[in-house]
Amino acid sequence: MTEQLLGRMFASLIWIMTISLLLVKAHRSAQASYRLQAVGEAGLLAVLALNNEPWLWLDVGLVLAIKEIVIPRILSSHGEVASKDYGAKSAVGMAFLLMVAAIVTAAGLALGEVPGLDRPLMSGILIGAWFISFIHLSARYETWSLSWALLSLDTVSGVLAVSVAGPLPEFAGVGMELAALAIAVLLAWLSRKIFTLLHTTDVRDVEELTG
Amino acid sequence: MSISLALPVVVLVVLAVFVLVMPASWAIWLERTAIGVLVVSLALLAGDQWHLPDALATWFYLVVAVISVIALWFSEPYVRAEAKHLHWNDAQIKQYGSLLLIFIASLVAVAIWTNFLWLWLGIEAATLSSVFLVGTPRDRGAIEAAWKYLLVTEAGGLAALVGTAVALAATGHPISQWDYATWTAIGHHMGKARWILIGAYMAMIGYATKAGLAPFHTWLPDAHSQAPAPVSALLSGLKLAGAVVIVYHLFGVLTPTVPAQDLKDGLIILGLLSLLVAAAFVAFQTDLKRLWAYSSIEHIGLISLGIGFGGIALVGAVFHIWTHASSKTLLFQNAGTVRLLYHTSESTQGAKALLARTPWTGGMLALGSAAIVGLPPFAPFWSEWLILVGGFQSASNRIPDIIAVGLLIVIFSGIALRIPNWLWVPGTQDRLAKIREPWALVAPNLVLALLVLVGGVGMPLVVHPLWHHLAHELLKSPI
């Protein structure tokens, strides 16, 4: 019972931080939201580790080390253009984005109630967060925000896959998480490259990316 | 996973590591060693000394190995010229060589591995290595294309991971048995059929972004036009098809619980959308590599349609993996040669009168273009014919097939309309001098041209027992 409650709490933290990443107006605030989202992921993995999947403790350590320290550090270096950018360049207004987030969260919760999932509420919250991070990918125009969107999607997808897949053999559990972390590190590295090359943070100004 | 399935991948990865740590002058020899490894594996396969999980895996491995050998062969002179032209340093040359071998290793993994999580890892490794390969020139256009490629296909990759986990977990199999080669139906779990369908569609959409199927194709024209030519060839010829093959295997294990037609409808819709996108854009391309990128969207759409139609069309789709790979590798490598010799592949910026100025390169562009628009007796004609005829024969509804035929006519007309701009429309007077064509660049493409010319009939004849067995298995397939 306590484990279920903890699982829902950490899933909710991931969900809130996914919304925060969608809405924040500065690169630095996105870093903070991403770190808190990673705390939610580590917490959820710890709950699953307590639930007879001890190998996931290794994942908890890896998530904390890489998502709290390595990735924010990669993205904060050489990002002068991104770090000076303040604003929310979005296809629609922030209030509308919040409404869309609420609607897709409801859809996620409803989907979680479809019979067949072991942890319906927790899975529903995570599915809602997953939808929000997809919306983030098409709703914001700043390159730095899109980078955080993909990192957010990576976090939510990793934890969603681990939680719905059922009890994992050690190799598969660690392997899946390692793959998700490797993708996150590579993405952060490539995002830093793009920050150094572009003199704009708005993808609409980038010819290649619109065609 | 057995050691024999892991070994070729491990050997190629070890060679890739050596390329990275050894001096740049070693790279050529290590890449030649990789060619040797692939040739030996083909010999072992032909001699019945090495066994792959099933006939489709063997067929796809055959395509991967043959095309990779030719791409590695072409890559050596191509990169030497490109490095000189674009002033690559030793680190860039080593990084390119290492990533190319990792890319090929991951394609081999996608062809022969059988566990769905390992297959996902394989296609992810192929994506990430090719993202860096696309960005190898390190100029603004290449980095932007790589970033866009990463953004779109990683979103898809993560959807594929979640979808695969949801669908397979819902079947009731433990994760250790998520393997198509050893899959056994453990009864119908109708209570979870909805989750299987939801997961299957999520995975299909995810892998569709990897395959460049419309409407998830937006990364493809940029990535193909910016990547070094051998990378464009492998991306188009092998990686796109690899993602669709994974979807085929996944749908194959899910069909006992979910009606096959429910799954196949998704592939038919994606296939038709891909043909529509190609039809809308192909006639307006002025860059040769972008033209072939849109043609790749069309071809992968045809493979998706063939799997969706089933029956003879499925046999055609699997055959199209080979005909598409050989013809598109020829065309992308040839476009790379054009870019090297003319310093552009844009018909509006000087890549004109190819037949007069560079007869071999122009001749192979003419041959490849004739093949790609489905003219007999070239290889793509046979597979496209099988897909369309199979669509008429086995599909419950013939309308998608009729739409596909109409869209193909538009696409082929668009390509036929564009190609003269490169082949014989003259440039300005000062641009009419002949250009010397290095044989090192021409020879690999000549071999490919031969394969495109006779491979449609020749390939099934050369590997007759395998093809017979494969066709028999595909015709029995529930998908």
Side-chain angles (χ1 to χ4, degrees), chain B residues 35 38 61-74 100 103-105 107-108 234 238 329 333:
Chain B
I35 292 177
L38 291 168
Y61 179 75
L62 193 67
V63 178
V64 168
V66 169
I67 297 297
S68 299
V69 164
I70 296 173
L72 280 167
W73 179 16
F74 178 79
L100 187 65
F103 186 34
I104 291 172
L107 293 170
V108 168
L234 292 172
L238 303 176
T329 304
Q333 292 190 165

Side-chain angles (χ1 to χ4, degrees), chain A residues 1 7 13 33 48 66 85 93 95 103 107 126 133 152 164 172 198 201 209:
Chain A
M1 193 64 191
L13 179 60
S33 301
L48 293 173
I66 291 179
D85 190 43
I103 291 166
L126 289 175
S133 47
S152 165
V164 297
L198 299 181
T201 61
L209 297 171

Side-chain angles (χ1 to χ4, degrees), chain A residues 138-190:
Chain A
S138 52
R140 293 290 293 264
Y141 288 139
E142 304 94 326
T143 46
W144 58 263
S145 185
L146 290 174
S147 298
W148 289 114
L150 200 49
L151 286 165
S152 165
L153 180 65
D154 175 82
T155 299
V156 181
S157 299
V159 79
L160 188 58
V162 169
S163 64
V164 297
L168 293 166
E170 57 275 18
F171 198 68
V174 176
M176 274 164 79
E177 198 57 45
L178 271 179
L181 286 171
I183 290 167
V185 171
L186 287 170
L187 172 73
W189 187 81
L190 201 65

Side-chain angles (χ1 to χ4, degrees), chain A residues 111 114-115 168-169 189 198 208, chain B residues 132 143-144 150 175 195 222:
Chain A
L111 210 54
V114 173
L168 293 166
W189 187 81
L198 299 181
E208 278 291 330
Chain B
F132 285 92
I143 295 286
E144 283 168 11
L150 184 77
I175 202 166
W195 277 111
D222 290 341

Side-chain angles (χ1 to χ4, degrees), chain B residues 17-265:
Chain B
V17 173
F18 274 117
V19 170
L20 211 54
V21 296
M22 292 299 184
S25 56
W26 284 48
I28 289 170
W29 292 103
L30 289 163
E31 284 169 23
R32 286 178 185 172
T33 310
I35 292 177
V37 169
L38 291 168
V39 171
V40 167
S41 72
L42 285 173
L44 289 173
L45 212 54
D48 214 18
Q49 300 299 308
W50 185 40
H51 301 281
L52 294 179
D54 65 2
L56 179 55
T58 311
W59 173 258
F60 192 36
Y61 179 75
L62 193 67
V63 178
V64 168
V66 169
I67 297 297
S68 299
V69 164
I70 296 173
L72 280 167
W73 179 16
F74 178 79
S75 173
E76 189 184 317
Y78 178 85
V79 166
R80 203 166 42 229
E82 181 109 330
K84 199 172 157 190
H85 176 58
L86 296 176
H87 309 295
W88 287 9
N89 56 31
D90 278 1
Q92 269 175 294
I93 293 171
K94 281 162 62 170
Q95 183 190 315
Y96 169 84
S98 176
L99 286 168
L100 187 65
L101 290 185
I102 290 175
F103 186 34
I104 291 172
S106 56
L107 293 170
V108 168
V110 169
I112 63 177
W113 287 357
T114 54
N115 182 290
F116 286 105
L117 290 179
W118 285 107
L119 284 171
W120 179 79
L121 275 178
I123 203 84
E124 278 302 308
T127 303
L128 292 173
S129 53
S130 55
V131 161
F132 285 92
L133 283 166
V134 169
T136 303
R138 294 190 189 172
D139 56 20
R140 185 187 159 112
I143 295 286
E144 283 168 11
W147 193 65
K148 184 177 179 182
Y149 175 27
L150 184 77
L151 207 65
V152 178
T153 59
E154 275 319 306
L158 294 166
L161 173 67
V162 173
T164 305
V166 165
L168 293 176
T171 62
H173 283 72
I175 202 166
S176 56
Q177 292 173 20
W178 290 3
D179 189 310
Y180 73 81
T182 57
W183 189 269
T184 45
I186 54 169
H188 290 254
H189 301 267
M190 293 316 290
K192 294 190 175 183
R194 264 175 289 186
W195 277 111
I196 296 177
L197 197 60
I198 291 168
Y201 266 82
M202 276 158 64
M204 182 184 70
I205 289 169
Y207 283 119
T209 63
K210 301 272 184 200
L213 281 163
F216 315 106
H217 66 284
T218 49
W219 60 272
L220 197 146
D222 290 341
H224 278 63
S225 57
Q226 293 295 329
V231 178
S232 305
L234 292 172
L235 254 180
S236 171
L238 303 176
K239 193 216 150 197
L240 306 186
V244 181
V245 168
I246 295 176
V247 174
Y248 169 75
H249 286 307
L250 183 65
F251 283 7
V253 302
L254 298 178
T255 42
T257 323
V258 180
Q261 200 55 48
D262 288 357
L263 299 171
K264 286 156 69 169
D265 285 346

